[in-house]
């Protein structure tokens, strides 16, 4: 999965979960900016794993706390 | 539920023997001369006095060894056994349980994330009966722990700790505390760490205790605080690594959220026992009030609620060993469900006890009103009800059911438990709940279980991620736990499905308050079982243990 596809998926997911229909999402902003708390961020790992079909650490969103950072990390570490 | 049977589901094997041994050691709580008696508990509570003697008695029994894993010289083997011991203490005096067992909560970050040296070192302190506290919350921030202001600044060779922690159980009496502090400029999920702070290693001027706070219940407990001012910590005080604080605290909560409900179970046992004792002896209109159908129904309902809650606690304790990766959800459910259900149980029992529930003396020395006030702490600490409902609601958003797995290792109480492996705890269930998923594979009791499954399907179709939906989800989970407990343990007390039918009636009625029920003939059998457990001094339990009480308590 390439970086851009992951960014798009994450952007859509955060819009859906946070009920931010149509809002601008800055991929470089910390996730807290969109009201995504640390416990809630962890719960998105399961969705992302299912979509990517690969296991991910539950603290992924803590270590890469923006959409861009997650997408870069996952695209670089893809099989 | 046959009249003559009160053998346990599991013959109290090794895991419940120690609870009986502790009962024998502590003696009859109804005997006013005993150190650990109801009378003494009420007296200390009246004087807001710390239960020093009862804690010393536990020390004499080396209870602290149960806070230390076996590989570090302790006696801890399983949470199932540990919680059976906690219940023995809590049924006498929750203040003592909160005061003493706090050391496990203080130590848990070290058992999970500490180095071998830290573990050895802390084990020695605990085995010397020192108290360890957890310093997490702050006056201005409560559950919002990522707003914590206590700060540990890195300096040459260590850290400089500044800030105040408030509403800390045993802040003053502890010799060491695990302290949650900020270690980064950014207050995010990786911005905090946990430190093992040993008071005897600090400059005495670098910390001070805050006054004890007066509380509604557990009035003798040391609920206070601590303030650090440039307290110098060695680099070796850091637990696990910089930035691991939130992870350690959240995983530690998965354990402590299973421990707190055991306190509620202890309170509920005594509340039911003292109320039943009253109902059997109190004569109004020419007969004991136990013969009044409504009174008897209230007592049986309390018994059934207690069994439901006990199934949750035992299952959660075993799940820590068997399904650690699903504990994010299970620990939140047990911590929400049991304390709030027991609150209702106590209120319902108070109606039977009538005026005597309100007295701070007379019937059983007034222990009921103390238990009622004490239990009120259990929905609050170590993740309050809204915090747990939030976790459950997050799960609802992504629930995928679960996988069809063999649940016997979790529910068959004859099965030995694997060692607890804290590194297997996760921070999310990833939508899975294998216990609830197993419900659809149950082939017995088809009427009740089909009704439950139909309700569950309707719920899944309609539910959102609100707290109300989260509460309902807990009822389905609670039912699934009881069904599995019955399915995997068919000995003695569990031989007939009657108790489970009563359990499912209680739970289904929660979901559909308008559900009309024909009175079940089983209620009389359950009442008889309840009275037999009472008269033989056994705990109100699916695994009844022999209690120490030997003689009736005069009013």
């Amino acid at each position: 999965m390439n970086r851009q596809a992951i960014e798009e998926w994450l952007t859509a997911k955060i819009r859906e979960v946070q009920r931010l229909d149509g809002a601008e999402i800055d991929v470089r902003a910390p996730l807290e900016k969109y009201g995504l708390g640390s416990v809630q961020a962890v719960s998105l790992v399961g969705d992302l794993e299912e979509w990517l079909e690969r296991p991910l650490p539950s603290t992924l969103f803590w270590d890469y706390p923006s959409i861009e950072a997650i997408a870069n990390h996952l695209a670089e570490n893809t099989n | 539920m046959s009249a003559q049977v009160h053998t346990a589901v599991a013959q109290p094997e090794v895991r419940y023997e120690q609870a009986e041994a502790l009962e024998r050691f502590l003696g009859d709580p109804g005997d006013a001369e005993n150190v650990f008696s109801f009378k003494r508990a009420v007296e200390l509570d009246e004087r807001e006095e710390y239960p020093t003697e009862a804690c010393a008695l536990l020390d004499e029994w080396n209870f602290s060894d149960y806070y230390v894993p076996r590989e570090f010289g302790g006696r801890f083997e399983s949470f199932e056994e540990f919680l059976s011991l906690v219940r023995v203490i809590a049924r006498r005096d929750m203040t003592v349980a909160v005061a003493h067992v706090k050391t496990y909560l203080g130590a848990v970050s070290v058992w999970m994330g500490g180095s071998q040296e830290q573990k050895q070192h802390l084990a020695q302190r605990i085995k010397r009966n020192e108290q360890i506290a957890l310093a997490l919350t702050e006056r201005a921030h409560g559950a919002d722990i990522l707003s914590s202001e206590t700060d540990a600044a890195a300096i040459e060779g260590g850290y400089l700790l500044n800030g105040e922690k408030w509403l800390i159980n045993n802040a003053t009496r502890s010799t060491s505390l695990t302290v949650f502090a900020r270690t980064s400029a950014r207050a995010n999920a990786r911005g905090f760490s946990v430190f093992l702070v040993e008071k005897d290693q600090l400059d005495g001027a670098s910390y001070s205790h805050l006054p004890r706070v007066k509380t509604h219940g557990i009035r003798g407990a040391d609920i206070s605080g601590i303030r650090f001012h440039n307290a110098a910590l060695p680099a070796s005080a850091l637990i696990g690594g910089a930035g691991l604080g939130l992870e350690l605290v959240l995983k530690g909560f998965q354990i402590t959220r299973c421990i707190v409900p055991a306190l509620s179970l202890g309170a509920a046992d005594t509340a039911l026992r003292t109320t039943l004792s009253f109902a059997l002896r109190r004569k109004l209109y020419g007969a004991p009030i136990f013969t009044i159908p409504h009174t008897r129904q209230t007592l049986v309902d309390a018994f059934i609620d207690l069994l439901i809650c006990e199934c949750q606690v035992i299952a959660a304790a075993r799940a820590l060993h068997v399904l650690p990766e699903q504990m994010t959800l299970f620990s939140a459910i047990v911590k929400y469900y049991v304390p709030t259900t027991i609150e209702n149980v106590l209120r319902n029992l108070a109606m039977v006890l009538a005026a005597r529930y309100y007295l701070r003396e007379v019937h059983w020395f007034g222990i009921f009103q103390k238990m009622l006030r004490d239990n009120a702490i259990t929905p609050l600490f170590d993740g309050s009800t809204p915090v747990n409902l939030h976790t459950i609601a997050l799960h609802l958003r992504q629930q995928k059911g679960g996988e069809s797995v063999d649940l016997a290792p979790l529910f068959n109480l004859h099965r030995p438990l694997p060692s607890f492996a804290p590194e297997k705890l996760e921070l999310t269930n990833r939508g899975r709940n294998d216990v609830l998923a197993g419900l659809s594979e149950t082939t017995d009791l088809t009427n009740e279980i089909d009704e439950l499954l139909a309700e569950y399907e309707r719920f899944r179709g309609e539910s959102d991620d609100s707290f109300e939906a989260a509460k309902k989800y807990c009822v389905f989970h609670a039912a699934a736990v009881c069904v599995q407990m019955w399915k995997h343990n068919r000995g003695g007390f569990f031989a007939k499905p009657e108790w489970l039918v009563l359990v499912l009636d209680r739970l289904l009625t929660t979901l559909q308050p308008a559900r009309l029920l024909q009175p079940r003939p089983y209620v009389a059998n359950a009442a008889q079982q309840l009275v037999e457990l009472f008269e033989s001094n056994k705990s109100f339990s699916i695994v009844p243990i022999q209690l120490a009480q030997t003689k009736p308590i005069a009013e």
Side-chain angles (χ1 to χ4, degrees):
Chain A
M1 203 64 70
N2 68 34
R3 192 181 59 79
Q4 196 185 343
I6 298 171
E7 277 190 6
E8 282 168 9
W9 186 90
L10 284 167
T11 302
K13 185 50 108 178
I14 287 166
R15 274 209 190 98
E16 174 203 324
V17 170
Q18 296 303 91
R19 298 168 177 124
L20 297 167
D21 301 345
E24 269 308 301
I25 303 275
D26 177 359
V27 296
R28 291 183 183 173
L31 295 169
E32 303 100 86
K33 184 177 171 186
Y34 301 105
L36 205 67
S38 47
V39 171
Q40 197 178 2
V42 165
S43 77
L44 293 184
V45 171
D47 302 84
L48 188 55
E49 277 179 338
E50 198 175 11
W51 179 61
L52 290 174
E53 296 178 333
R54 62 187 260 210
L56 298 169
S58 55
T59 52
L60 179 77
F61 286 64
W62 294 2
D63 294 321
Y64 303 94
S66 72
I67 291 173
E68 184 184 61
I70 297 164
N72 281 341
H73 169 73
L74 293 178
E76 281 163 20
N77 293 283
T78 197
N79 294 332
Chain B
M1 202 171 297
S2 71
Q4 71 280 13
V5 173
H6 41 81
T7 42
V9 48
Q11 295 303 324
E13 347 175 6
V14 188
R15 286 193 301 277
Y16 291 84
E17 273 173 11
Q18 287 306 308
E20 292 190 331
L22 181 59
E23 273 291 334
R24 289 193 296 274
F25 176 79
L26 296 177
D28 180 359
D31 182 344
E33 300 304 310
N34 268 338
V35 165
F36 211 157
S37 63
F38 295 137
K39 181 167 187 281
R40 194 71 63 93
V42 171
E43 284 170 358
L44 290 174
D45 194 60
E46 288 289 322
R47 299 203 298 266
E48 304 190 6
E49 200 175 309
Y50 192 83
T52 310
E53 285 177 297
C55 285
L57 204 57
L58 291 174
D59 290 346
E60 194 186 318
W61 198 71
N62 294 319
F63 194 92
S64 301
D65 285 357
Y66 281 95
Y67 305 141
V68 180
R70 198 165 269 275
E71 64 261 45
F72 298 102
R75 291 167 78 189
F76 179 89
E77 288 205 341
S78 77
F79 287 103
E80 189 183 3
E81 177 181 62
F82 182 59
L83 296 191
S84 74
L85 295 167
V86 170
R87 288 166 64 181
V88 168
I89 304 173
R91 84 169 186 103
R92 291 153 187 267
D93 186 352
M94 197 186 287
T95 310
V96 178
V98 167
H100 208 280
V101 179
K102 183 64 193 186
T103 288
Y104 186 84
L105 280 62
V108 71
S109 292
V110 174
W111 303 145
M112 288 192 308
S115 63
Q116 290 296 103
E117 291 72 23
Q118 282 171 327
K119 290 176 182 173
Q120 296 285 7
H121 182 67
L122 189 66
Q124 282 167 13
R125 281 195 180 270
I126 295 172
K127 287 173 67 63
R128 287 197 299 265
N129 292 317
E130 292 184 25
Q131 290 174 324
I132 315 300
L134 168 66
L136 175 63
T137 53
E138 298 182 2
R139 196 182 296 260
H141 305 296
D144 181 12
I145 57 174
L146 290 192
S147 294
S148 296
E149 292 172 58
T150 299
D151 179 84
I155 55 165
E156 177 87 33
Y159 297 85
L160 216 49
L161 185 65
N162 280 287
E164 180 187 293
K165 294 290 180 182
W166 188 65
L167 294 188
I168 305 306
N169 184 5
N170 284 338
T172 305
R173 289 175 174 264
S174 56
T175 64
S176 306
L177 307 95
T178 43
V179 179
F180 183 78
R182 191 162 156 174
T183 43
S184 157
R186 292 199 57 200
N188 61 18
R190 287 298 192 202
F192 295 83
S193 307
V194 181
F195 295 88
L196 179 61
V197 177
E198 303 172 278
K199 290 178 187 172
D200 58 10
Q201 302 297 306
L202 296 181
D203 176 347
S206 69
Y207 73 97
S208 53
H209 298 125
L210 305 180
R212 219 170 100 178
V213 183
K214 290 190 173 194
T215 49
H216 172 62
I218 55 163
R219 290 167 59 177
D222 168 24
I223 308 291
S224 52
I226 188 164
R227 187 179 294 136
F228 300 102
H229 8 244
N230 291 327
L233 307 179
S236 61
L238 178 66
I239 301 168
L244 294 184
L246 184 65
E247 194 173 339
L248 282 173
V249 166
L250 291 179
K251 288 182 176 174
F253 273 160
Q254 293 182 30
I255 299 171
T256 59
R257 283 173 187 168
C258 298
I259 297 175
V260 171
L263 303 178
S264 298
L265 289 182
D269 188 288
T270 294
L272 179 54
R273 203 166 294 276
T274 180
T275 308
L276 183 59
S277 141
F278 179 72
L280 290 170
R281 292 196 185 93
R282 173 74 160 178
K283 284 188 178 169
L284 290 182
Y285 320 111
I289 60 170
F290 190 66
T291 59
I292 301 171
H294 178 264
T295 301
R296 199 185 63 167
Q297 183 71 53
T298 304
L299 288 159
V300 168
D301 285 347
F303 179 42
I304 296 298
D305 284 344
L306 182 43
L307 295 182
I308 295 170
C309 287
E310 189 195 33
C311 288
Q312 311 310 309
V313 171
I314 293 176
R318 292 181 63 90
L320 279 163
H321 298 260
V322 179
L323 279 177
E325 67 280 6
Q326 294 190 30
M327 287 312 295
T328 305
L329 177 68
F330 295 168
S331 66
I333 293 177
V334 73
K335 177 62 178 59
Y336 158 72
Y337 187 82
V338 173
T340 53
T341 302
I342 300 292
E343 290 253 281
N344 286 330
V345 167
L346 299 187
R347 297 208 172 277
N348 295 340
L349 289 172
M351 281 190 272
V352 174
L353 213 45
R356 275 162 181 72
Y357 112 76
Y358 210 65
L359 305 183
R360 283 166 33 226
E361 55 187 347
V362 185
H363 183 66
W364 283 39
F365 314 101
I367 194 67
F368 188 95
Q369 55 82 29
K370 180 178 181 325
M371 290 289 178
L372 188 62
R373 283 184 291 107
D374 290 353
N375 186 65
I377 185 76
T378 60
L380 291 176
F381 60 15
D382 284 23
S384 64
T385 288
V387 168
N388 290 306
L389 288 174
H390 177 63
T391 299
I392 299 159
L394 285 174
H395 174 81
L396 288 184
R397 188 188 58 75
Q398 58 174 186
Q399 60 169 325
K400 299 175 185 69
E403 286 180 21
S404 175
V405 299
D406 177 17
L407 291 172
L410 178 55
F411 286 102
N412 184 332
L413 302 187
H414 292 287
R415 293 277 184 100
L417 290 166
S419 295
F420 175 57
E423 67 278 6
K424 290 186 181 165
L425 294 174
E426 288 281 345
L427 293 166
T428 166
N429 271 53
R430 296 173 160 83
R432 275 180 64 174
N433 180 348
D434 290 353
V435 173
L436 199 44
L439 189 59
S440 57
E441 289 168 27
T442 309
T443 50
D444 303 283
L445 278 185
T446 43
N447 286 347
E448 286 77 10
I449 290 175
D450 284 352
E451 188 183 348
L452 188 67
L453 283 169
E455 274 298 315
Y456 183 54
E457 281 313 306
R458 184 155 50 240
F459 169 80
R460 289 196 62 164
E462 294 169 355
S463 76
D464 49 20
D465 54 1
S466 67
F467 278 15
E468 286 312 306
K471 288 177 188 174
K472 276 193 179 172
Y473 182 79
C474 290
V475 176
F476 292 113
H477 182 87
V481 164
C482 293
V483 168
Q484 295 294 344
M485 205 61 99
W486 175 69
K487 182 174 163 183
H488 292 284
N489 300 279
R490 294 286 182 85
F493 188 65
F494 272 74
K496 291 186 183 178
E498 297 181 6
W499 77 278
L500 186 65
V501 173
L502 295 175
V503 160
L504 295 177
D505 274 351
R506 289 289 287 162
L507 294 170
L508 282 163
T509 306
T510 315
L511 299 165
Q512 308 168 292
R515 184 173 180 264
L516 290 174
L517 275 182
Q518 296 295 326
R520 300 272 192 185
Y522 313 146
V523 171
N525 298 352
Q528 195 170 352
Q529 180 72 29
L530 173 65
V531 171
E532 283 185 19
L533 288 171
F534 172 76
E535 287 180 343
S536 57
N537 286 318
K538 290 191 169 165
S539 57
F540 300 127
S541 169
I542 59 166
V543 194
I545 66 160
Q546 187 62 54
L547 303 176
Q549 187 180 310
T550 52
K551 55 185 175 191
I553 305 171
E555 192 167 88

